[in-house]
Amino acid sequence: MTTYHFVAASERFLTEEEPLEEVLKERRRHYSEEGKDIDFWLIRRPAFLNSPELSAIKTELPAPSAAVVSTDATFITFMKLRLEYVLEGRFEAPSHSIPDPLASLF
């Protein structure tokens, strides 16, 4: 299993009110220059929030929600500090309750 770290907020906050696209674009550019594989994703309406272990976080989030997910804990800490009004968490996947860590509820 892999540990995934995330920050989550309302979809509107992450995709319209914050310059998230700019931050992720810069991160992609940096990874390209370093020859690193992408290890972060923006997920609208993330399915992992429906897992029992994340129910407390889900109840605090406005719907619809979105999340930036990464296997890099340091990047998610940076995102938490950069965005401020987000909830931070982590989970292990694949698992019985989270078979696909990047799945969306669309």
Side-chain angles (χ1 to χ4, degrees):
M1 277 198 280
T2 302
T3 300
Y4 292 87
H5 306 269
F6 67 90
V7 289
S10 75
E11 185 175 3
R12 177 176 153 76
F13 177 76
L14 284 181
T15 62
E16 296 175 27
E17 295 176 20
E18 281 295 315
L20 182 62
E21 182 179 352
E22 178 183 320
V23 172
L24 297 180
K25 186 183 292 185
E26 173 59 27
R27 183 92 171 160
R28 281 191 301 273
R29 183 195 61 74
H30 173 72
Y31 273 35
S32 177
E33 288 175 359
E34 298 291 318
K36 289 182 68 177
D37 292 332
I38 299 296
D39 63 358
F40 59 92
W41 305 269
L42 171 63
I43 304 172
R44 295 172 189 250
R45 300 177 187 161
F48 67 81
L49 289 174
N50 286 335
S51 67
E53 59 265 36
L54 297 173
S55 63
I57 289 177
K58 183 180 178 180
T59 60
E60 293 184 48
L61 287 171
S65 61
V68 176
V69 178
S70 179
T71 56
D72 182 346
T74 303
F75 176 60
I76 294 302
T77 299
F78 164 77
M79 293 301 293
K80 169 68 174 149
L81 295 171
R82 169 71 177 76
L83 298 172
E84 280 188 70
Y85 303 108
V86 295
L87 296 174
E88 185 177 12
R90 70 177 183 197
F91 60 90
E92 299 279 327
S95 67
H96 177 70
S97 61
I98 306 174
D100 180 354
L102 306 179
S104 176
L105 294 175
F106 278 111

